[in-house]
Amino acid sequence: MAEHDDASQPGRRDFLLKAAAVGIGAVTTLVPAGAGLVTLLDPLRHKAKAGTFLRVATLNSLPEDGTPRQYPVVSERQDAWNKFPQVRVGAVYLRRMGKEVQALNVVCPHAGCFVNYSANHNHYVCPCHDSVFGLDGAIKNPRSPSPRPLDTLEVKVNDDGGVWVKFENYRAGIHEKIVAS
Amino acid sequence: MNSLLGWLDQRTGYKAIVKHALYENVPGGARWRYVWGSTLTFCLVVQFITGFFLWMAYSPSSQTAWESVYYIQHEMMGGWFLRGLHHYTAQAMNVLLVLHLMQVVIDGAYKAPREINFWFGLGLLLLVMALSLTGYLLPWDQKGFWATKVATSIAAITPVFGAELQKLIIGGSDYGHHTLTRFFALHAGVLPASIIALLVGHIYLFRRHGLKAKEPRMRPDAAFWPDQVLKDAVACLAVLATVLFLILRSHGAELTAPADPSEPYSAARPEWYFLFLFQFLKYFPGGTEIWGAIIIPTVVLLVVFAMPFIGNWKLGHRFNLGLMWSLLAGVGLLTWLAITEDGRNPEYLAGVKIAHIEAARVKELAQSPSGISQLGAANLLRTDPLTQGPKLFAKNCASCHRYDGHDGMGNHPKDAQSAPDLKGFASRQWLAEMLDPAKVASTNFFGGTKFREGKMVKFVKKDIAGFSPEEKAQLIKVVAAISAEAELPDQRPADQAETALIAEGRTLAAGDVMRCTECHQFRKKDEEASAPDLTGYGSREWLIGIISNPAHERFYGKRNDRMPAFGKDEALDAQSIGLLTDWLRGDWYRAPARNTASAAH
């Protein structure tokens, strides 16, 4: 733009014209692009529902020998415009340990696949990348792709034998267990 | 930086393209009359950008289309603005297309060698109209649904293969999921792609032939950049400012109630720029619509397409100019007629009013704690007593009954009132008035029925009129007790606060002093009872019972005076009777008062 610095009238007029044309042109296209981007970013405003205790099973339904069993987790769910009063939102493995119950989220902490319980080997194995977890959820194979053990969930057993689990999902792919929000 | 650009230029030759684009010669210098093409391109860009973002939130199916647009409009950040931008820019485009076309015709820019480019332009005009038409349906609201239904029904009158054509357009015999998937694929895929193809040709040919200057040329030739670019940019800014004004004035585009094929919509109109066609069709009596809908528009379009050839004749250009101005005047006149006729059409105006009420109501229901279920939002209004109750009442009850003096919808039926006014039925006030010697024989209670001279009226007029102050005090308690049987939502606070008074009233009502149980039964089986049961009087179950069969021995038995048995005779289904009942009882979802609203007062 050095050639316009001599302040000669036509040069300056020319520069102002060009600047105005570019400026106005930019503003007019920024409006629709900005409006779209604002709406696109809407999901960032919403946090995932905080974990609440949900009744998923009765103590009597759990095998006494400590074999894990899978249970669906049913809860209210808001999916954009739809509200589902009672719908399956996930699943847990429950394992009886005397009077205590251990709950594991079925989702593999590596990449979010659903782990299977293998009765033959008495461990959990992820069908996607072969991470193997012990019954307590600990990593079992030394070269496990999963960065952390299966995620344990808080459990309460009520006097009537109802098993309540504080159901939460955690961020996949990292060492720390952080609630997905 | 320069070396990087040089590297890029060596491989792409972009500098030459930019130079070619910017230094196009403008004969006679920059002028405002050349801006229309650029404003249209600008609008198209806005539509592409906003359209892509809307696409990311839109879900085309008959149970999710309205719901996703509702979510964009009312829940997503800035969604109302984005949608408003898309909606009003579409309108601006239709106006600018006409301006562009008129400018081209007036300046003679359609004549040889620019015939093909003129046709490209007309093709673009038709494609934009098709975009408007398909886009109008996508929100799947009552307005778009019914207006588009009219448009696709017109397609069915096409000779030979009309029925098949319609079926192909809507993806089946009836409107449904595939209507939306097809319209959406057209709107977001086929039509925009065709527009790009035609527009590339349009701009290529425009550059090839150069700008057709308006004579006389005021100034020397100049390059497109920067003078004309600035004028174009200012024009685009003006278009944008107009669009922004329209968005802010109306808080974005309208979204009426969800489409419901079972709900009539008297306010169905096409978008305003198609109103002229809508009005034009009114002049073709049954069986001749094909002239108004297909033959005449096609002939006019063919003449317009032939304008480059007509323009070669001696008086051809004047003919073309005359034709365009007459078409514009005709379209303007028809549009004006359509608007003024609607303004005088009470049915249309009532339809618009109901449309506004239902749009606001469905928004309230969608934001209620129960939200939108999988059945979709249309179900919210179908199962809403506040929406359906008045309609059911007007259709089934108002030929005899009234609701606050009207038919439930605010109209006054032509038949004289011959049965009670049911506004506030079974409330304390209603019962107190019914037991008022001055009112009991009015048409609002027994006046219009054969019970005008009946025992109840006589009792009220003679006995109650002669009540001592002590007895009158007791009567108030009886009224509270009988009214409490209804468990009306509006009366809940009073019912809960005055349990002692109500218990006293109950004892009195069951006792001999007040003489209720001489004819009625109350909380005790009485085979001899000859008047309606006061147990649960006005409750949901009681009202459903009497609407279903008033001649049941629990109500009027054989003495029933003309009231039809809506349930027993299947005049109304159980759901409708339930909705009517809930509405009469004032039992519907009430949105909590919004903080902003209370702050404003």
Side-chain angles (χ1 to χ4, degrees):
Chain A
M1 297 289 154
E3 66 264 33
H4 299 302
D5 286 348
D6 60 5
S8 68
Q9 281 311 86
R12 164 161 293 190
R13 183 184 167 275
D14 206 36
F15 172 75
L16 286 175
L17 268 180
K18 286 177 179 173
V22 169
I24 296 172
V27 167
T28 49
T29 25
L30 277 177
V31 170
L37 278 174
V38 167
T39 310
L40 181 75
L41 296 178
D42 180 74
L44 297 181
R45 290 197 310 160
H46 304 278
K47 286 239 181 277
K49 222 171 58 171
T52 47
F53 276 99
L54 299 164
R55 190 186 156 106
V56 292
T58 59
L59 197 57
N60 288 340
S61 70
L62 287 173
E64 295 202 17
D65 63 358
T67 308
R69 241 189 109 176
Q70 190 192 306
Y71 292 88
V73 176
V74 175
S75 171
E76 183 189 271
R77 178 160 187 256
Q78 179 80 38
D79 180 6
W81 54 85
N82 272 138
K83 191 166 229 168
F84 303 91
Q86 286 287 296
V87 71
R88 291 185 177 196
V89 292
V92 289
Y93 282 111
L94 294 185
R95 191 165 67 101
R96 197 161 169 170
M97 300 184 303
K99 282 186 176 173
E100 299 282 293
V101 173
Q102 188 199 37
L104 295 170
N105 196 325
V106 296
V107 171
C108 178
H110 173 224
C113 296
F114 211 105
V115 299
N116 296 320
Y117 168 66
S118 159
N120 292 341
H121 298 97
N122 211 24
H123 65 203
Y124 301 100
V125 59
C126 178
C128 293
H129 308 98
D130 304 332
S131 293
V132 178
F133 306 93
L135 282 192
D136 57 353
I139 293 171
K140 233 177 149 186
N141 50 340
R143 295 177 54 83
S144 164
S146 177
R148 63 169 191 265
L150 284 177
D151 297 310
T152 51
L153 299 166
E154 275 183 66
V155 185
K156 276 196 301 200
V157 181
N158 276 10
D159 294 341
D160 66 349
V163 180
W164 294 67
V165 173
K166 187 178 181 188
F167 186 71
E168 283 174 323
N169 285 307
Y170 301 89
R171 282 164 58 183
I174 54 175
H175 287 284
E176 300 80 16
K177 181 179 163 192
I178 299 172
V179 178
S181 59
Chain B
M1 186 69 183
N2 269 340
S3 64
L4 185 70
L5 291 178
W7 180 88
L8 195 65
D9 188 41
Q10 260 189 341
R11 277 145 191 87
T12 61
Y14 84 92
K15 281 184 179 166
I17 298 171
V18 170
K19 198 174 164 194
H20 180 73
L22 289 180
Y23 295 97
E24 161 81 9
N25 182 47
V26 181
R31 292 177 76 158
W32 285 110
R33 64 189 306 128
Y34 304 147
V35 300
W36 303 119
S38 294
T39 58
L40 279 165
T41 314
F42 165 69
C43 286
L44 196 66
V45 170
V46 172
Q47 293 307 72
F48 272 92
I49 295 174
T50 51
F52 277 127
F53 285 111
L54 286 168
W55 188 346
M56 288 186 216
Y58 176 70
S59 174
S61 85
S62 57
Q63 250 128 56
T64 60
W66 186 91
E67 291 73 6
S68 61
V69 175
Y70 155 82
Y71 198 71
I72 295 170
Q73 181 78 17
H74 297 299
E75 303 290 338
M76 291 182 84
M77 184 162 58
W80 65 273
F81 183 81
L82 179 66
R83 188 168 163 255
L85 206 51
H86 198 71
H87 177 80
Y88 286 110
T89 306
Q91 308 210 343
M93 239 176 142
N94 284 280
V95 176
L96 292 168
L97 274 167
V98 172
L99 292 173
H100 187 42
L101 179 62
M102 289 308 289
Q103 174 246 326
V104 163
V105 174
I106 292 167
D107 291 0
Y110 61 96
K111 288 192 269 195
R114 297 185 173 83
E115 302 96 327
I116 294 179
N117 211 15
F118 179 69
W119 296 331
F120 276 180
L122 290 178
L124 284 164
L125 175 97
L126 294 176
L127 285 173
V128 170
M129 288 173 86
L131 276 173
S132 302
L133 191 80
T134 48
Y136 202 50
L137 177 74
L138 296 182
W140 205 247
D141 62 350
Q142 284 282 69
K143 189 174 74 166
F145 179 85
W146 290 103
T148 313
K149 233 178 163 177
V150 174
T152 51
S153 301
I154 290 168
I157 63 171
T158 311
V160 190
F161 51 84
E164 287 76 15
L165 180 69
Q166 187 195 24
K167 215 168 180 174
L168 285 177
I169 293 172
I170 68 176
S173 316
D174 215 344
Y175 267 51
H177 293 318
H178 270 177
T179 318
L180 277 165
T181 51
R182 280 173 183 240
F183 270 61
F184 188 49
L186 285 173
H187 186 79
V190 178
L191 294 170
S194 312
I195 281 194
I196 290 176
L198 275 191
L199 191 63
V200 166
H202 196 61
I203 294 174
Y204 163 75
L205 286 177
F206 164 68
R207 285 297 166 109
R208 184 182 159 88
H209 300 305
L211 198 141
K212 174 81 171 70
K214 171 74 181 162
E215 306 294 345
R217 300 181 190 191
M218 305 295 192
R219 271 173 290 172
D221 289 8
F224 183 59
W225 169 260
D227 290 37
Q228 188 63 46
V229 173
L230 179 62
K231 283 195 163 59
D232 288 357
V234 170
C236 294
L237 187 66
V239 170
L240 183 67
T242 311
V243 166
L244 292 182
F245 167 76
L246 292 169
I247 298 171
L248 295 176
R249 194 190 57 165
S250 57
H251 199 75
E254 189 183 20
L255 180 65
T256 58
D260 188 341
S262 66
E263 279 291 332
Y265 187 73
S266 326
R269 291 291 178 272
E271 197 59 296
W272 64 266
Y273 38 80
F274 287 131
L275 272 179
F276 73 97
L277 282 172
F278 157 85
Q279 179 71 14
F280 193 52
L281 271 186
K282 286 190 194 167
Y283 305 114
F284 295 87
T288 63
E289 299 99 334
I290 189 163
W291 285 92
I294 296 172
I295 298 175
I296 295 175
T298 309
V299 168
V300 168
L301 206 58
L302 286 175
V303 174
V304 174
F305 264 92
M307 279 191 348
F309 302 128
I310 301 170
N312 286 336
W313 300 335
K314 205 173 163 196
L315 292 173
H317 181 63
R318 290 198 181 170
F319 169 83
N320 286 340
L321 265 182
L323 176 72
M324 288 311 292
W325 282 117
S326 339
L327 282 179
L328 203 58
V331 166
L333 179 68
L334 285 170
T335 309
W336 178 79
L337 279 172
I339 292 169
T340 46
E341 279 181 22
D342 276 347
R344 284 197 299 259
N345 179 349
E347 206 170 320
Y348 171 77
L349 294 174
V352 171
K353 207 172 135 198
I354 294 172
H356 286 309
I357 292 171
E358 294 195 348
R361 179 64 180 164
V362 75
K363 183 183 158 199
E364 258 177 16
L365 292 170
Q367 289 171 341
S368 74
S370 47
I372 303 173
S373 78
Q374 287 138 290
L375 293 170
N379 200 52
L380 293 178
L381 285 181
R382 277 184 205 148
T383 54
D384 176 35
L386 182 60
T387 305
Q388 301 304 335
K391 292 182 193 172
L392 288 164
F393 188 86
K395 262 186 243 155
N396 299 286
C397 315
S399 57
C400 303
H401 289 280
R402 292 292 179 276
Y403 185 87
D404 202 16
H406 56 80
D407 70 345
M409 302 288 289
N411 304 314
H412 296 276
K414 62 178 198 314
D415 301 321
Q417 180 180 355
S418 62
D421 191 311
L422 296 176
K423 168 91 191 285
F425 175 72
S427 67
R428 290 182 187 186
Q429 191 194 344
W430 193 91
L431 285 171
E433 285 181 16
M434 197 259 283
L435 296 171
D436 181 342
K439 291 179 180 164
V440 66
S442 78
T443 48
N444 279 344
F445 297 99
F446 292 107
T449 70
K450 74 177 187 188
F451 305 110
R452 189 173 50 231
E453 314 271 314
K455 279 187 191 170
M456 187 71 197
V457 172
K458 277 185 193 148
F459 169 73
V460 173
K461 279 188 159 174
K462 253 177 76 187
D463 297 65
I464 292 188
F467 267 10
S468 67
E470 190 195 344
E471 284 169 323
K472 278 183 184 158
Q474 289 179 333
L475 186 67
I476 290 172
K477 293 173 185 169
V478 170
V479 164
I482 302 296
S483 186
E485 294 288 301
E487 297 179 336
L488 296 173
D490 281 341
Q491 224 167 250
R492 204 165 291 144
D495 287 348
Q496 282 168 354
E498 295 167 333
T499 45
L501 179 108
I502 289 166
E504 232 181 299
R506 243 173 231 155
T507 316
L508 286 164
D512 294 335
V513 185
M514 285 287 129
R515 299 178 54 197
C516 303
T517 47
E518 281 179 22
C519 303
H520 298 277
Q521 71 175 13
F522 182 60
R523 296 195 157 219
K524 210 169 77 187
K525 193 84 191 136
D526 180 4
E527 302 288 342
E528 309 281 291
S530 59
D533 191 357
L534 295 182
T535 319
Y537 184 82
S539 66
R540 186 168 200 273
E541 184 268 335
W542 191 96
L543 263 172
I544 289 176
I546 196 168
I547 296 170
S548 300
N549 184 14
H552 188 278
E553 57 180 24
R554 187 183 163 194
F555 304 106
Y556 284 102
K558 287 193 187 106
R559 275 194 288 266
N560 176 42
D561 181 18
R562 290 166 289 165
M563 172 147 167
F566 287 98
K568 189 169 151 255
D569 298 342
E570 294 174 30
L572 285 175
D573 59 17
Q575 191 192 31
S576 300
I577 293 176
L579 288 166
L580 195 52
T581 298
D582 290 340
W583 175 66
L584 287 172
R585 290 168 38 75
D587 193 0
W588 60 73
Y589 171 73
R590 286 168 171 83
R594 285 169 55 205
N595 290 336
T596 46
S598 55
H601 289 295

